[in-house]
Amino acid sequence: MNDVHLASTIAAAGRDRKCADGIMLETMTEGAAMPAVSATQGRSAGKDPAARRRAGRPSAAVLDKAGITVAALALISRKGYDGLTMAALARSLDVAPSALYNHVSSKDDVLLLVEDHLVEMVDVSGFGAGPWDAAVRRWAWSYREVFAQHTPLIPIIAVLPVANAPKTLAMYEAVTAGFGAAGFPAEKTISAIVALEAFVFGAAYDVTAPADIFDAGTLAAQTPNFTSAVDRLAAEQHPRPADVAFSLGLEALITGFDALRNR
Amino acid sequence: MNDVHLASTIAAAGRDRKCADGIMLETMTEGAAMPAVSATQGRSAGKDPAARRRAGRPSAAVLDKAGITVAALALISRKGYDGLTMAALARSLDVAPSALYNHVSSKDDVLLLVEDHLVEMVDVSGFGAGPWDAAVRRWAWSYREVFAQHTPLIPIIAVLPVANAPKTLAMYEAVTAGFGAAGFPAEKTISAIVALEAFVFGAAYDVTAPADIFDAGTLAAQTPNFTSAVDRLAAEQHPRPADVAFSLGLEALITGFDALRNR
DNA sequence: GATGCTAAATGAACGTCATTCATTTAGTGC
DNA sequence: GCACTAAATGAATGACGTTCATTTAGCATC
C-alpha cells in the first residue's frame, strides 16, 4: 500500500552529470577504467547477475557515489520507490549488494544522494534577475514539481541538516541572496523561506493524491457543507485541482511577505 | 536513521474509549469475559509472551479495533514509530501477531486507525463561535501540534481518501461549515483548506527538525548570505524557531484568504 | 439436539530486505 | 619486498510484515 511512483520525465532529465564530485581521480592510472565507467552507465539490463567478476578488488573501481546516484534515479523512475532496494540497485550496477556499503553507509545515505541531486533541478534562476515575486513564484512551482515526483524523500529533506547536502545548501544560498537583494529584512528571511518550503512540501503530496480523495462516499449525507463545497470545486472543471490550491496559497504567501520588504 | 519520536503527552490523552464498536455483545454469555477485557487494557507488561491462552477462539473476544488503536497509540508514545511493529503491538495486547489480521488488513490499516483517532484532538471548536480568523488560527496551530508528534502519519493522511477516515471527514465538515458561515466563497473553500493543510503538514516536520539543521559547517564560507541570515535569526533568541516560521506563514495565509470573504 | 457456518484465536512458516562479516584481490607508500 | 588500505564477492543474519493450516467457540438451522 506504499506509494508507487510512475516513471517521471523530470527524473529522467537528470542524466547530464558533469564529472562526479571527487573520486574520479583514479581513472587516469590505466586505460582499463573506460569499460568500467561504461558499465556503470550503460549495462543496466545485464543478464548475468554477478558471475563474471571474481572476488577481490577490481583493477578499476566499479562504483562511486555519482554512479550510485544515477543508477538509483534510473531505478526510481523505472520501478518507483518500492523498487528501490539495495539488492535491485546493486543488480542494476552489476555488483553484489554488499559492495554498495563501501561507498554509502546505509540506504538512507543513498536517498540523501538522490535528494541532493534532485535539488539541482529546482529553478532558482529568477533570483538576481527580474522582480522578487516572479522569482519566488518560479522557485516554488519548480520545487513542488520536482518533489511531487519524489514524495518519499520529503520526510528526509525536511529535517536534513544542510551541511550534509551541499547542493541543497547552494539552493538556500541563492534564495537567501535573492531575498536580501529584494530588500527583505534579514532577520525574517530564514523564517520566510522555511514557511514557503513547508507549504511546498505539503503541496507536493497533494499532487500525488487520488482524484477521488474528497469523495465522502456513504457518509456524504452527514457532511452537507463539505460535500457541497467539493461539488462546487468539481464544477469548475480544473484539470489539476492541486494546482488551484497551490496557486491560491502561494499567492497569499507572496503577497503577505511582499509587504514586509523595504524599498 | 528513521525518525524516533519521544513520548508525547498528547498521545497519552487518548485513553478514554467508550465501549468499543460492536463486538462487545458476546460478553453477556458468561462471567469469564471480565478477565479477558482487563487483559486488553491492564496487563501491558505481561511476562508470559502468549502462553496461557490455548489455541482456538476464546469465549470473549480479546481484540477489537478500538483496543488495537489504543495499544498502538500507547506503544508509539513509549517507543516511537520505530517501535510500532506488528509483533510488538501483538505482544502489548497479549496475542499472537497473526491474530491482529482478523481485525485489520495490514499495518497501514493500523496507522489509519491511529490517524483517525488523532484527528479528534484537533481543535475545531473555534468555527461557529467567534471570528473566522481566530478559528482558523486555533485550528491550524492545534493541527500542527498533533501531527508534529506523528510525522510518519503525514504521508498517509495527505493522500488518504476521506471516506476511509470518518473522524477526519468530520473535521473537514466542521471547517468547511465555518468557512461558509464566514462568507468564504464556496468554490474556493476546498482549495483554501487544502492549502492551509499543506502548510500545516510541512510545518509539522519543522518542529521535529534538529536545532542545528541550518548549520552550514565547513561550507559556511561559500554561503555568506545564507549563513548571515541564519545568524540574524539566531540572534533573536526565539525558544522555538519553528514557531516563528509557522506564525509568519500562517498569518500571511489568513490575511490573504480573509480578503476573499464576502461580508 | 446434531450439523454447519463463521469468527477469532494459536503457531509455524515464508519471503523480502537492509546490513554485517570473513575473505580475496589490487594498488600505494615506506 | 612488505604492510596497509580500498574495493570487490559471497555467505549469513536478524527484523519484519504477512499467510496458512489448525483449533475452538458461539450461533443459526433443520
Side-chain angles (χ1 to χ4, degrees):
Chain A
M1 188 166 292
N2 268 334
D3 25 28
V4 176
H5 293 263
L6 300 175
S8 75
T9 56
I10 289 183
R15 185 59 57 93
D16 55 283
R17 68 182 171 103
K18 313 301 184 314
C19 195
D21 281 337
I23 324 261
M24 274 312 195
L25 304 172
E26 32 226 1
T27 55
M28 2 183 224
T29 55
E30 59 178 48
M34 281 313 168
V37 170
S38 82
T40 296
Q41 296 191 328
R43 187 202 307 140
S44 52
K47 293 177 182 176
D48 27 22
R52 185 170 41 280
R53 192 170 33 241
R54 70 183 195 281
R57 181 181 185 174
S59 302
V62 179
L63 296 177
D64 57 38
K65 287 194 182 196
I68 291 172
T69 306
V70 170
L73 238 3
L75 192 53
I76 288 163
S77 62
R78 250 188 309 125
K79 305 283 182 75
Y81 276 86
D82 282 351
L84 179 64
T85 67
M86 295 302 272
L89 182 56
R91 188 153 33 81
S92 85
L93 287 162
D94 197 32
V95 295
S98 53
L100 295 168
Y101 289 88
N102 289 321
H103 302 267
V104 296
S105 63
S106 66
K107 185 180 179 181
D108 269 16
D109 206 10
V110 174
L111 293 177
L112 199 154
L113 289 174
V114 170
E115 185 272 322
D116 206 38
H117 184 97
L118 287 173
V119 167
E120 270 202 318
M121 303 183 201
V122 177
D123 187 353
V124 295
S125 68
F127 293 104
W132 175 84
D133 66 319
V136 173
R137 203 171 280 116
R138 184 188 292 189
W139 170 62
W141 277 96
S142 74
Y143 202 172
R144 184 195 70 139
E145 196 64 30
V146 169
F147 282 94
Q149 309 297 329
H150 297 272
T151 52
L153 295 179
I154 292 178
I156 293 182
I157 184 179
V159 299
L160 178 74
V162 293
N164 297 346
K167 312 254 181 73
T168 306
L169 185 54
M171 180 188 74
Y172 286 131
E173 172 64 12
V175 176
T176 310
F179 271 56
F184 202 86
E187 77 279 2
K188 289 193 171 68
T189 300
I190 297 296
S191 295
I193 293 173
V194 167
L196 280 163
E197 219 179 10
F199 178 62
V200 164
F201 290 152
Y205 283 116
D206 296 334
V207 176
T208 70
D212 65 331
I213 185 173
F214 290 132
D215 182 5
T218 59
L219 296 84
Q222 290 140 51
T223 58
N225 290 279
F226 176 72
T227 301
S228 161
V230 170
D231 290 344
R232 289 293 293 273
L233 173 62
E236 309 246 320
Q237 295 268 16
H238 290 289
R240 299 194 359 171
D243 286 357
V244 178
F246 185 67
S247 177
L248 195 65
L250 180 60
E251 295 307 320
L253 288 170
I254 289 177
T255 303
F257 293 168
D258 201 5
L260 301 175
R261 290 165 55 205
N262 311 313
R263 40 181 171 177
Chain B
M1 190 167 291
N2 268 333
D3 25 26
V4 175
H5 293 264
L6 301 175
S8 74
T9 56
I10 289 181
R15 186 58 59 92
D16 54 285
R17 69 182 171 102
K18 313 302 184 314
C19 194
D21 282 339
I23 325 262
M24 274 311 196
L25 304 172
E26 30 227 0
T27 55
M28 346 186 239
T29 55
E30 58 179 49
M34 280 313 167
V37 169
S38 82
T40 299
Q41 296 190 329
R43 189 199 308 138
S44 52
K47 293 176 183 178
D48 28 21
R52 185 170 39 284
R53 190 169 37 240
R54 69 185 196 279
R57 179 181 187 174
S59 303
V62 178
L63 296 176
D64 57 41
K65 288 193 181 196
I68 291 172
T69 306
V70 170
L73 238 4
L75 192 53
I76 288 164
S77 61
R78 248 187 311 125
K79 304 283 182 77
Y81 276 87
D82 282 351
L84 180 64
T85 67
M86 295 301 273
L89 183 55
R91 189 153 31 81
S92 85
L93 287 162
D94 196 31
V95 295
S98 53
L100 295 169
Y101 289 87
N102 288 321
H103 302 267
V104 296
S105 62
S106 66
K107 184 180 178 179
D108 269 17
D109 206 10
V110 174
L111 293 177
L112 201 154
L113 289 174
V114 170
E115 185 273 322
D116 206 39
H117 185 96
L118 287 173
V119 167
E120 270 202 317
M121 304 184 201
V122 177
D123 187 354
V124 295
S125 68
F127 294 104
W132 175 84
D133 65 319
V136 174
R137 203 170 282 116
R138 184 188 291 190
W139 170 62
W141 278 97
S142 74
Y143 202 171
R144 185 195 71 139
E145 196 63 32
V146 168
F147 282 94
Q149 310 295 330
H150 298 272
T151 54
L153 295 178
I154 292 177
I156 294 182
I157 183 178
V159 299
L160 178 74
V162 293
N164 298 343
K167 312 254 182 74
T168 306
L169 186 54
M171 181 189 73
Y172 286 132
E173 171 64 11
V175 176
T176 310
F179 272 56
F184 202 86
E187 77 279 4
K188 289 193 172 66
T189 299
I190 295 297
S191 295
I193 293 174
V194 167
L196 281 163
E197 220 179 9
F199 178 62
V200 163
F201 290 152
Y205 283 116
D206 295 334
V207 176
T208 70
D212 65 332
I213 185 173
F214 290 132
D215 181 6
T218 61
L219 295 86
Q222 290 140 52
T223 57
N225 290 279
F226 176 72
T227 301
S228 161
V230 170
D231 291 343
R232 289 293 292 272
L233 172 62
E236 309 246 320
Q237 296 270 19
H238 290 290
R240 298 192 5 170
D243 286 357
V244 178
F246 185 67
S247 177
L248 195 67
L250 180 59
E251 294 306 319
L253 288 170
I254 290 177
T255 303
F257 293 169
D258 201 4
L260 301 175
R261 291 164 55 204
N262 311 313
R263 41 184 170 172

